[in-house]
Amino acid sequence: MARATRVPYLVSGTNEYGGSNLGRGSASVALRLARRFLREGYMDVRVCTPRGRVLQSDELDELKPPKERDMAKGQQRGNREAKKPKKEKLKVIAAAPSRKEAAWQPDFGPAKKK
């Protein structure tokens, strides 16, 4: 006995030889197949969604996944490349001598207090 696989999206179209009904497992694959049908000259191209909604050829863009900016604020991912990079800090080792050139300062001798 063959096991039935569930395909939530049904793509259908009609050409000069008859009709085609093909099932696909995801919205993106169903959208790709529907667009291929349209390129090949199929008429009456439709996609039936898992909830039973039938999309005509001019409504196929509704199967596209939403972009990140359309998501709720809590679901958005940050873009690290857009952030300003931090300034590099030089590590200072206390045991190493300073590499700065010391500027000459005059020596006035010990200071006296009156």
Side-chain angles (χ1 to χ4, degrees):
M1 192 171 185
R3 182 177 166 204
T5 58
R6 185 171 178 266
V7 278
Y9 292 89
L10 181 66
V11 182
S12 62
T14 308
N15 64 4
E16 64 265 18
Y17 304 110
S20 293
N21 292 315
L22 299 172
R24 292 296 181 256
S26 69
S28 60
V29 178
L31 179 63
R32 199 176 324 144
L33 178 64
R35 287 184 175 159
R36 191 182 94 204
F37 276 2
L38 290 170
R39 279 194 311 270
E40 292 177 359
Y42 279 73
M43 298 171 289
D44 197 26
V45 176
R46 298 177 185 185
V47 177
C48 182
T49 66
R51 291 187 173 187
R53 183 165 178 220
V54 178
L55 301 174
Q56 302 293 331
S57 58
D58 59 340
E59 300 173 315
L60 293 178
D61 288 339
E62 294 180 28
L63 287 177
K64 284 183 183 178
K67 294 184 180 179
E68 281 191 26
R69 66 173 183 253
D70 296 340
M71 291 179 161
K73 185 73 174 175
Q75 294 175 340
Q76 289 180 350
R77 285 185 252 150
N79 187 359
R80 289 191 173 271
E81 290 143 12
K83 292 181 181 177
K84 185 177 177 182
K86 290 184 178 179
K87 185 177 179 181
E88 290 185 30
K89 292 182 180 178
L90 296 175
K91 286 188 176 181
V92 179
I93 301 172
S98 174
R99 299 203 179 260
K100 288 185 178 179
E101 294 287 329
W104 179 82
Q105 293 182 355
D107 184 22
F108 296 111
K112 289 186 182 179
K113 289 188 178 180
K114 291 187 179 180

